[in-house]
Amino acid sequence: MKPLPFDLIPDDALPTPLGLIVLQTDETIEPEFHKAFADDNAALYVSRIASAPEVTPEGLGAMESLIAASADLLPKSLHYSVVGYGCTSASAIIGSDAVAELVRKSCNADEVTNPLRAAIAFAEHHGLRRLALVSPYIMDVNVALRAAFARAGITTDTFGTFGEAEEAKVARIAEQSIVSAAMALGSSADVDGVFLSCTNLKTRTAIPRLTEALGKPVFSSNFALSWHMKKCAKL
């Protein structure tokens, strides 16, 4: 057999590498991200992380010991402009700095972000300090999330939750239910923006409807995370 000659593509000719760690139970973030990055010169590499079927503080905290191993499964030959950890509520429980440190233990990444860090960055970028929060979580999880926003100087006094712990049901909450909840909370004169929390909520097509109807910024976990990853990667 005669070996065939070949050339190698230089690294700087490749699309910008982006990493994403997705919960095992998440059915929403990947389809929404495929659309969010469709027009960018970027390549998205995904790893999964084991996660409980129900969202509880205990289950979210248990992911802390798994993040480094999940990041380790991303292709080693690449230097990532940014890696996103796709869980809003776990980031509130574990802490954004701890998440970033764990990812960097096993993955070569310039930046690490998550939906909570991204939402705070988006709010700061747009001068938002009083958010209406639409959440699917049980109350113990909501307490941690709202406290994380408060530490960043962002209030979530206008707040409502679907109170659903089961991830499979969260992924199936109808768009009109999300729109109705966001309209009810976001119409308050006491808020300057609306945040739809959870990467498993299907919010992509609801956001433009809500933004137009409310006349104020409306953003979700997936919207904020994709926005922040693009910003970090300079896309």
Side-chain angles (χ1 to χ4, degrees), residues 21-213:
I21 297 172
V22 177
L23 270 58
Q24 178 183 1
T25 51
D26 198 309
E27 304 175 27
T28 305
I29 190 170
E30 284 167 298
E32 293 200 349
F33 264 44
H34 288 319
K35 294 177 181 177
F37 288 96
D39 297 326
D40 296 293
N41 184 29
L44 187 65
Y45 299 89
V46 176
S47 178
R48 288 268 172 173
I49 184 170
S51 58
E54 294 193 348
V55 180
T56 65
E58 296 75 21
L60 295 169
M63 276 190 281
E64 184 170 5
S65 64
L66 306 174
I67 292 173
S70 182
D72 192 49
L73 294 176
L74 291 167
K76 292 291 189 183
S77 59
L78 298 171
H79 182 107
Y80 298 91
S81 292
V82 58
V83 172
Y85 169 63
C87 188
T88 320
S89 49
S91 298
I93 297 288
I94 299 167
S96 290
D97 290 343
V99 168
E101 182 179 347
L102 289 164
V103 169
R104 287 198 173 100
K105 277 186 176 180
S106 53
C107 181
N108 191 0
D110 291 333
E111 300 284 348
V112 179
T113 187
N114 63 70
L116 173 60
R117 173 169 276 174
I120 291 169
F122 183 91
E124 291 176 345
H125 182 78
H126 291 86
L128 309 177
R129 288 295 172 191
R130 298 170 299 141
L131 293 180
L133 173 62
V134 178
S135 156
Y137 312 122
I138 61 173
M139 288 310 299
D140 285 349
V141 177
N142 289 319
V143 168
L145 178 61
R146 296 181 66 197
F149 276 116
R151 288 192 294 272
I154 298 169
T155 64
T156 55
D157 296 334
T158 302
F159 158 71
T161 182
F162 297 120
E164 178 55 60
E166 189 177 339
E167 286 274 25
K169 290 183 179 177
V170 172
R172 288 160 178 74
I173 293 175
E175 178 175 311
Q176 189 54 49
S177 298
I178 297 169
V179 168
S180 296
M183 287 296 298
L185 297 178
S187 297
S188 170
D190 294 330
V191 303
D192 48 23
V194 181
F195 179 57
L196 313 172
S197 189
C198 189
T199 60
N200 227 347
L201 274 183
K202 291 178 171 58
T203 60
R204 182 172 174 80
T205 55
I207 288 173
R209 293 174 58 192
L210 288 164
T211 301
E212 181 178 2

